[in-house]
Amino acid sequence: MENTREMFQIMTRRFGLLDKNCCTAGGVDISLIQSHIIYEIDRKHNPSIQQVADSLSIDITTFSRQVQSLVKLGLVKKTQLPEDRRINILTLTTEGKYISTVIDGQMNNYLKEVFSHMSEFEQDMVINSIKLLNDSMAKSKVCCTTLG
């Protein structure tokens, strides 16, 4: 039987998930967590800070620091909800939208190149396997925790 953990370790390194910066767009270095935040803000319609933090499973303190760094870079705008000033809504600035589009293009090109080394059947098999794995991980009680 193959060493499953080793396979995931290698895939993580090849996907660049251990790199300090996952990508550079518009002359700005973007960390992996910042890339995920930008993606989620772009994907949702005016999400609150809490909604994005929850969808990424990031504690609110760490998340708030990352959002502040994106605000300072001019990529994200944080606006208080008029009817409930405790809630902050996140939107991408024009520059943030541009960065999101560039990163999306880079990732799609990378995945297209990776999949180009597979037959259509193999591509479908990998995509279906990833869906199955994601579904199983969502059902797991130990996801994102260390095993005791």
Side-chain angles (χ1 to χ4, degrees):
M1 183 167 170
E2 294 191 53
N3 184 336
T4 307
R5 179 173 180 201
E6 183 177 353
M7 290 182 345
F8 278 96
Q9 297 285 99
I10 291 168
M11 188 172 68
T12 298
R13 287 192 295 267
R14 288 190 176 145
F15 212 18
L17 299 179
L18 300 178
D19 297 346
K20 183 176 185 277
N21 293 314
C22 75
C23 35
T24 300
V28 179
D29 288 332
I30 304 294
S31 70
L32 183 62
I33 190 169
Q34 290 171 332
S35 171
H36 280 271
I37 292 168
I38 289 168
Y39 177 81
E40 286 300 318
I41 293 170
D42 200 23
R43 199 169 71 89
K44 295 177 176 10
H45 179 70
N46 296 331
S48 70
I49 284 181
Q50 193 64 54
Q51 287 172 319
V52 179
D54 289 348
S55 69
L56 293 173
S57 300
I58 301 173
D59 74 271
I60 199 69
T61 307
T62 302
F63 184 77
S64 293
R65 265 195 310 272
Q66 292 297 328
V67 167
Q68 265 320 110
S69 68
L70 291 168
V71 168
K72 284 180 185 170
L73 288 170
L75 305 179
V76 170
K77 185 177 177 192
K78 190 167 73 168
T79 311
Q80 282 185 335
L81 203 61
E83 56 270 21
D84 188 344
R85 299 177 64 73
R86 295 170 298 168
I87 298 174
N88 284 295
I89 299 301
L90 300 174
T91 53
L92 295 180
T93 63
T94 303
E95 180 71 10
K97 277 269 195 203
Y98 169 74
I99 297 288
S100 180
T101 302
V102 170
I103 292 171
D104 200 41
Q106 290 172 350
M107 290 306 300
N108 287 335
N109 287 337
Y110 174 66
L111 292 170
K112 184 177 177 183
E113 197 280 328
V114 167
F115 280 108
S116 74
H117 302 284
M118 299 178 204
S119 70
E120 193 172 326
F121 173 77
E122 290 168 328
Q123 291 175 31
D124 289 342
M125 190 170 60
V126 168
I127 290 168
N128 287 327
S129 296
I130 291 170
K131 286 178 187 173
L132 181 63
L133 180 62
N134 277 335
D135 291 345
S136 294
M137 289 173 76
K139 295 173 189 170
S140 173
K141 302 281 186 250
V142 292
C143 181
C144 308
T145 62
T146 54
L147 302 173

